[in-house]
Amino acid sequence: MFDPKKPTVLLLGRWQPWHEGHLALFRRAIIKTGQVLIQVRDVKDSSGGEGQEDNPFSFNEISSDIEKKLGDHGYILGKDYLIQIVPNITNITYGRGVGYKIEQESFDDKTESISATKIREELRNKGKLS
């Protein structure tokens, strides 16, 4: 059972759509604390910030996709992770360190080259996304 008192890794993103690079990030995150909170920015049909205007997927579509793809790898919603909708957060600001770290993960070139922009383009070319 997901324990809100237990140390937790937060993943914040648009996830337009969730892809193998996001899965790699999730796998690193869950190793750190055993549970992850995935926050989904509510950006369907709006700008997610400069250069992030293409946001065709709703929170419900994204969360269903995440749950299916993580479930395919044995992760359980409500035990290993939670999914939460959040406003269109474009800036994260803090005054001083109060018990958390902000970390950027780096991956191999293959994983780093995965692009949700290219995935959306492929979906449109196949008629699966308007």
Side-chain angles (χ1 to χ4, degrees):
M1 184 65 109
F2 193 95
D3 182 353
K5 299 267 186 197
K6 182 180 171 191
T8 304
V9 174
L10 168 66
L11 297 180
L12 169 66
R14 295 180 303 144
W15 321 114
Q16 293 278 328
W18 182 270
H19 55 63
E20 290 296 314
H22 298 143
L23 175 61
L25 183 62
F26 176 88
R27 284 181 165 153
R28 284 204 187 158
I30 200 161
I31 287 169
K32 293 176 185 198
T33 62
Q35 63 181 33
V36 177
L37 174 61
I38 302 171
Q39 291 188 327
V40 179
R41 292 170 52 202
D42 188 14
V43 293
K44 179 176 172 42
D45 297 330
S46 65
S47 177
E50 186 176 333
Q52 299 181 2
E53 286 74 29
D54 186 12
N55 299 298
F57 300 104
S58 69
F59 168 75
N60 288 336
E61 291 169 316
I62 293 166
S63 58
S64 293
D65 190 42
I66 292 170
E67 184 176 357
K68 181 192 178 318
K69 289 178 178 171
L70 289 180
D72 288 347
H73 292 276
Y75 299 106
I76 301 168
L77 178 66
K79 177 181 176 284
D80 301 311
Y81 68 97
L82 294 178
I83 301 172
Q84 180 181 66
I85 191 170
V86 295
N88 186 6
I89 295 169
T90 58
N91 297 67
I92 297 173
T93 306
Y94 67 96
R96 59 189 164 102
V98 289
Y100 52 84
K101 299 176 190 173
I102 297 177
E103 302 174 314
Q104 180 176 347
E105 297 286 347
S106 296
F107 295 91
D108 60 82
D109 289 343
K110 181 180 176 188
T111 304
E112 291 278 346
S113 71
I114 298 171
S115 165
T117 300
K118 291 177 186 172
I119 293 169
R120 290 189 302 273
E121 185 178 317
E122 270 184 41
L123 290 170
R124 286 188 177 101
N125 289 339
K126 293 177 181 176
K128 294 182 179 181
L129 183 64
S130 49

